[in-house]
Amino acid sequence: MMLQQHLLFVLYSFCGIAIKEAATKNKVKGSQAQFPITQNVTVVEGSTANMTCRVDYNDNTSLQWSNPAQQTLFFGDKKALRDNRIELVRASWKELTISISEVALSDEGQYTCSLFTMPVKTSKAFLTVLGVPAKPEITGLSRPAQEGEDVTLTCTTSGSKPAADIRWFRNDKEVQGQKEVNATGRSFMVRSTIHLKVDRTDDGAAYTCVVEHIALGSLPHQVTEVLEVHYPPQVQIVRSVIVPQEGQYFKLECVSKGNPLPEPVFWTKDGGELPDVERMIVEGRDLIITTLNKTDNGTYRCEASNQLGTNRDEFTLYVYAKDFPGTTTDPNALTQPGPDHALIGGVVAVVVFITLCFIIVLGRYLARHKGTYLTNEAKGAEDAPDADTAIINAEGNHAHAEEKKEYYQGAARNVVHLKSENLGFANNYALRQEYVRCIM
């Protein structure tokens, strides 16, 4: 009996614990069920926003949506605010979803979902509306610019939220601009400016303004303006044959650039009109000489003008004889290599230089030896009583003068054996030199 009572007590204890745990779980579960759940929403201006409020468990308690002004939009499935843009999407004990079409920037704000329990439970959801930037506009190109002029280009876009970003491109290369942002109500106006000092390379350049914004995704707005620059002509003459020969067809092309385009161009020869209009034909910008001859030699000028100025280029024509060495009969072929005149001239210059150097050295050598002879002879003549002694003294010193004189007198006695017609010759300078060499 005691055993049975003990078993009943244990059984009741377990049942009590189980019932208590079940009650606790139901209580917690019920409190969770009474709390609404919402999420923030971001949409682009002009699109549709869906606002959803959920509860996991509900004991038949109504849900309600209110706008930022705390006006009730829907209470359960009942519409409370007359706004044709607001519609009911889904209504049940666990969910209340509404939609707002054609969303405007003014719809942005904090919306409230309420669960009417005691006390009332609420949850907040923020609706963010992105303002779409308007298509941009470029200003500052009211007329063609002139070369060297300062030009300011401005790109403007409005209605963006948050503020849009603007980028500039010259053809395909990005250039930096100066950005300015101004608030206009709930949106922003954005400007970007670039400053240019234009030249002829800017003529025909495409300047593009690109507006990027989160509301545009990967498809940004953009606008392009092509810059027109006026500049004076630039002229260059291009010939058809490198080495013109008699009898050839020959053409000079006048390549002229300018804006406005210079039309027409004017050809002259040696400062006057073309002398032979039958062989010299002007076609557009080209001067054609049908058959070259020596009378065509001269200076040809092409002149082009527009409203901003005049420019010209000249070409001096020399007509070679047919089959001239170093040329070819093919009018379109290049000349064959001829003698290297620069190398020949260099060799001649070196030869002339060496010859001049040799003449100068030889002259200085002869002048030096002649001066030595005259000087020595003068030295010997200073103290000599006669010419013979002077010669001896000139070739040696005074210490040996007497000895040399004796030899000289002995040699002079040999003159007796000379013929009479040779005696005069013995007195000349050459013979005396021979005597001096004999005694030295």
Side-chain angles (χ1 to χ4, degrees), residues 125-139:
F126 198 91
L127 175 61
T128 301
V129 181
L130 302 177
V132 181
K135 289 186 177 181
E137 180 182 2
I138 295 178
T139 57

Side-chain angles (χ1 to χ4, degrees), residues 223-289:
V223 62
T224 300
E225 291 287 350
V226 178
L227 190 60
E228 183 180 0
V229 180
H230 285 182
Y231 58 93
Q234 182 179 3
V235 180
Q236 181 183 11
I237 295 178
V238 180
R239 54 181 170 174
S240 62
V241 178
I242 302 298
V243 180
Q245 299 181 57
E246 289 181 308
Q248 281 186 336
Y249 171 92
F250 187 69
K251 181 176 73 173
L252 293 176
E253 181 183 0
C254 183
V255 180
S256 60
K257 297 180 181 179
N259 191 8
L261 186 65
E263 288 284 1
V265 298
F266 299 96
W267 285 98
T268 58
K269 179 189 176 186
D270 297 329
E273 297 181 355
L274 299 176
D276 191 344
V277 294
E278 293 184 358
R279 288 187 309 108
M280 298 180 178
I281 303 171
V282 177
E283 292 184 355
R285 300 174 181 273
D286 300 337
L287 172 60
I288 299 172
I289 303 177

